[in-house]
């Protein structure tokens, strides 16, 4: 079959699929199906309980649901309080990883031991970078990471499918240490073989924090400032966990419930995160901002900004999907606590990088966009900037290429996935199996010669 014939066959197949697979939307309401596992008010269908984190967007006052400033809690501690505590004073990623995995804040000795353990795991198998990452480079670094994670199972000297908590914890901690290398080395391979740039592979320093090592491995000269590493560290902390209901964490739970090994589970979570509706949101923000800059050269012209944002919402501009990316969230209404906690870091880095003009554009859009959306759309809750609205801007100021935005999300979220995998294995010895209502009509089988 020629390529043209194959393409035509697939196009014909699409027609057949669309003819048989389209479901009348009214049937979802008729059978009480909550599409996306969410009700009409955006509330998720309750599928489990967790002691790892909590996301709050509203409170019950006098029997009524009242939207409030968003809250994010890790193991009973308010994330904003913790980020303020370590702030620009120390790195928090490893400390928060310990908290999510073991349920308690570490003392200095425990944190030192934990960091030392992560450092001892901060290496890939001999020739793995050459034989696995370099041999098949891809512009899609998430695919590269997924392939690498699955291949690492072949290098595990212990029983890969052993579901004892000690073994799973060992595997998870190793992956937490290895993820920055899988991301950066995957990009370096793509940058060299696909973009014809110079090749360099820097090994991590086990004495450095995750944020420091990420910048050290990524940059040709291995140099970075303390502020740059602190801002990246804060971003990692704020992205590492977000309740059990987000798509990739729920995927972690589902695949863990089937009894799969850690490598398969984390590969599935990566596949979920890479979707543009989940982990790729900050890339869309950056693309949208580039489009806005091209059409509104005066960043302080709020009237022009409002008019152009209205065109975006009306599906007349940018990608014509009617979305102002980075504004609004499936859960939060009044504010995203991660965005609030991150803003101080964004402002300080923008000043350091002499990007105040760009920052003003973001600030103006954050102010104007909710007004435009409220005027153009019927909304049941407030709209505010989410953490992805600013994270792409920060990554660009740090010189992190767009191809690494979602992988960087994974470098953080692997901690949350690990905690949820362990909690699932400890508590629920039952495969997750939701139901689907069949609307199929029964038919008499017709022999092939009679069709």
């Amino acid at each position: 079959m020629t390529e043209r014939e194959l393409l035509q066959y697939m196009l014909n197949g699409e027609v057949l699929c669309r003819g048989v697979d389209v479901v009348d939307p009214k049937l979802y309401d008729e059978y009480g199906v909550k599409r996306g596992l969410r009700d009409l008010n955006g509330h998720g269908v309750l599928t489990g309980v967790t002691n790892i984190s909590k996301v709050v967007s509203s409170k019950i006052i006098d029997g009524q649901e009242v939207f409030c400033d968003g809250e994010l809690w890790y193991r009973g501690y308010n994330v904003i309080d913790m980020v303020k505590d370590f702030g620009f004073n120390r790195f928090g990623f490893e400390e928060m990883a310990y908290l999510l995995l073991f349920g308690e804040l570490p003392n200095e000795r425990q944190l030192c031991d934990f960091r030392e353990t992560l450092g001892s795991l901060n290496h890939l198998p001999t020739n793995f970078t050459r034989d696995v990452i370099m041999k098949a480079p891809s512009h899609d670094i998430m695919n590269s990471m997924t392939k690498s994670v699955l291949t690492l199972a072949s290098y595990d000297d212990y029983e890969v499918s052993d579901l004892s908590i000690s073994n799973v914890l060992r595997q998870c901690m190793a992956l937490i240490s290895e993820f920055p290398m899988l991301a950066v080395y995957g990009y370096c391979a793509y940058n060299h073989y696909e973009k014809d740039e110079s090749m360099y592979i820097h090994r991590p320093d086990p004495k450095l924090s995750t944020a420091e090592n990420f910048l050290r491995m990524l940059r040709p000269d291995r140099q970075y400032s303390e502020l740059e590493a602190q801002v990246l560290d804060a971003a990692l902390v704020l992205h590492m966990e977000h309740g059990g209901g987000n798509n990739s964490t729920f995927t972690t739970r589902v695949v863990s419930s089937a009894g799969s090994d850690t490598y398969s589970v984390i590969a599935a979570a990566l596949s979920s995160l890479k979707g543009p509706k989940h982990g790729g949101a900050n890339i869309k923000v950056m693309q949208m901002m580039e489009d806005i800059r091209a059409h509104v050269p005066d960043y302080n012209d709020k009237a022009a900004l409002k008019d152009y944002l209205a065109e975006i919402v009306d599906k007349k501009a940018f990608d014509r999907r009617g979305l102002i990316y980075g504004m609004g969230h499936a859960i939060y209404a009044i504010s995203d606590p991660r965005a609030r906690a991150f803003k101080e870091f964004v402002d300080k880095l923008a000043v350091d990088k002499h990007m105040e003009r760009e920052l003003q554009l973001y600030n103006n859009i954050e102010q104007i966009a909710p007004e435009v959306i409220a005027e153009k759309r019927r909304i049941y809750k407030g709209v505010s900037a989410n953490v992805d609205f600013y994270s792409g801007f920060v990554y660009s100021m740090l010189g992190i290429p767009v191809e690494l935005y979602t992988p960087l999300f994974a470098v953080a979220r692997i901690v949350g996935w690990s905690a949820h995998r362990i909690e699932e294995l400890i508590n629920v010895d039952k495969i997750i199996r939701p139901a689907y209502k069949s609307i199929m009509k029964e038919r008499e089988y017709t022999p092939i010669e009679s069709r």
Side-chain angles (χ1 to χ4, degrees):
M1 182 177 286
T2 67
E3 186 174 342
R4 180 183 292 274
E5 289 171 334
L6 179 62
L7 176 60
Q8 186 58 52
Y9 184 85
M10 295 306 171
L11 290 173
N12 293 340
E14 180 181 346
V15 173
L16 293 174
C17 290
R18 290 188 179 279
V20 71
D21 286 338
V22 173
V23 175
D24 185 346
K26 295 178 182 177
L27 292 177
Y28 291 97
D29 293 332
E30 180 180 335
Y31 293 114
V33 177
K34 296 180 173 54
R35 284 188 281 184
L37 292 181
R38 284 182 284 174
D39 63 23
L40 295 177
N41 292 322
H43 295 144
V45 174
L46 192 61
T47 59
V49 295
T50 182
N51 194 37
I52 296 169
S53 65
K54 180 173 69 172
V55 177
V56 177
S57 63
S58 63
K59 296 182 179 180
I60 303 299
I61 300 177
D62 296 329
Q64 298 292 321
E65 181 183 32
V66 178
F67 291 116
C68 63
D69 279 322
E71 299 173 6
L72 176 60
W73 301 75
Y74 291 173
R75 295 289 191 181
Y77 298 100
N78 192 307
V79 169
I80 290 182
D81 293 339
M82 292 188 289
V83 171
K84 283 181 179 178
D85 179 53
F86 60 75
F88 299 99
N89 303 312
R90 67 182 191 276
F91 296 107
F93 179 82
E94 289 75 22
E95 188 174 337
M96 295 300 100
Y98 184 99
L99 172 64
L100 287 176
L101 289 174
F102 303 118
E104 299 292 344
L105 288 169
N107 59 35
E108 291 186 3
R109 181 70 258 169
Q110 290 169 327
L111 183 57
C112 182
D113 290 344
F114 183 67
R115 283 174 171 159
E116 186 176 325
T117 302
L118 288 178
S120 69
L121 297 168
N122 213 346
H123 60 84
L124 293 172
T126 303
N127 296 330
F128 186 92
T129 302
R130 182 196 68 190
D131 295 341
V132 178
I133 299 176
M134 298 294 174
K135 286 290 178 66
S138 171
H139 73 280
D140 191 324
I141 312 305
M142 291 294 283
N143 279 355
S144 173
M145 292 179 71
T146 302
K147 174 193 68 177
S148 293
V149 168
L150 288 172
T151 308
L152 279 170
S154 302
Y155 290 80
D156 195 325
D157 293 331
Y158 298 84
E159 177 55 50
V160 171
S161 299
D162 176 10
L163 297 185
S164 67
I165 301 306
S166 60
N167 188 57
V168 170
L169 181 61
R170 174 190 63 81
Q171 293 169 329
C172 288
M173 288 184 64
L175 288 172
I176 290 170
S177 291
E178 292 161 346
F179 256 41
M181 287 179 284
L182 299 184
V184 173
Y185 294 172
Y187 173 77
C188 289
Y190 156 72
N191 193 45
H192 176 65
Y193 290 108
E194 302 294 330
K195 298 177 70 176
D196 203 28
E197 298 291 343
S198 298
M199 167 66 77
Y200 53 89
I201 295 294
H202 302 318
R203 288 189 172 88
D205 183 340
K207 296 183 178 65
L208 297 179
S209 69
T210 299
E212 290 173 299
N213 266 322
F214 191 92
L215 294 175
R216 182 180 188 273
M217 291 187 293
L218 179 63
R219 296 180 174 176
D221 61 2
R222 293 181 284 193
Q223 300 300 306
Y224 57 89
S225 70
E226 187 78 3
L227 176 61
E228 289 178 319
Q230 288 169 337
V231 173
L232 181 57
D233 178 75
L236 292 174
V237 167
L238 293 168
H239 281 90
M240 67 181 3
E241 166 59 6
H242 202 239
N246 67 82
N247 197 278
S248 58
T249 301
F250 187 58
T251 297
T252 300
R253 292 272 193 172
V254 170
V255 184
S256 290
S257 78
S260 292
D261 66 89
T262 299
Y263 301 96
S264 298
V265 168
I266 299 303
L270 281 165
S271 300
S272 167
L273 185 69
K274 71 167 287 187
K277 294 181 181 180
H278 189 6
N282 52 20
I283 297 175
K284 294 296 293 186
V285 173
M286 295 300 291
Q287 294 170 345
M288 178 189 73
M289 295 301 290
E290 183 178 349
D291 179 76
I292 291 173
R293 282 191 292 268
H295 291 87
V296 187
D298 184 353
Y299 298 171
N300 286 312
D301 189 342
K302 294 185 178 181
L305 276 173
K306 185 172 183 178
D307 289 343
Y308 194 69
L309 290 174
E311 290 190 26
I312 291 177
V313 174
D314 287 337
K315 302 182 179 181
K316 297 177 181 177
F318 186 43
D319 62 359
R320 290 174 168 75
R321 293 195 61 200
L323 301 174
I324 300 179
Y325 293 95
M327 304 304 295
H329 191 271
I331 296 177
Y332 300 120
I334 295 179
S335 66
D336 182 337
R338 300 167 300 173
R340 298 204 316 272
F342 201 33
K343 191 61 165 64
E344 182 182 359
F345 295 89
V346 178
D347 293 347
K348 194 164 183 176
L349 186 63
V351 172
D352 182 73
K353 297 291 185 180
H354 307 293
M355 298 286 285
E356 293 94 334
R357 184 169 178 267
E358 289 288 318
L359 178 63
Q360 187 60 52
L361 174 62
Y362 277 82
N363 289 340
N364 287 339
I365 292 175
E366 181 181 9
Q367 175 190 345
I368 297 168
E371 300 173 7
V372 174
I373 295 171
E375 291 171 5
K376 296 283 185 177
R377 293 280 186 268
R378 181 167 156 258
I379 55 177
Y380 64 89
K381 64 178 184 178
V383 175
S384 62
N386 60 49
V387 70
D388 291 317
F389 184 68
Y390 285 108
S391 62
F393 178 41
V394 164
Y395 298 158
S396 69
M397 287 192 289
L398 292 174
I400 296 172
V402 173
E403 292 90 345
L404 278 174
Y405 285 12
T406 308
L408 192 52
F409 195 160
V411 168
R413 190 55 64 87
I414 175 66
V415 178
W417 295 336
S418 298
H420 281 276
R421 170 162 170 73
I422 291 170
E423 188 180 60
E424 182 73 22
L425 292 174
I426 289 175
N427 292 287
V428 188
D429 187 21
K430 197 174 184 67
I431 189 170
I432 295 174
R433 192 188 186 283
Y436 270 70
K437 176 68 178 179
S438 175
I439 58 171
M440 175 193 69
K441 293 181 179 179
E442 296 182 3
R443 297 181 286 181
E444 290 290 331
Y445 176 75
T446 304
I448 191 167
E449 63 270 12
S450 302
R451 296 173 201 163

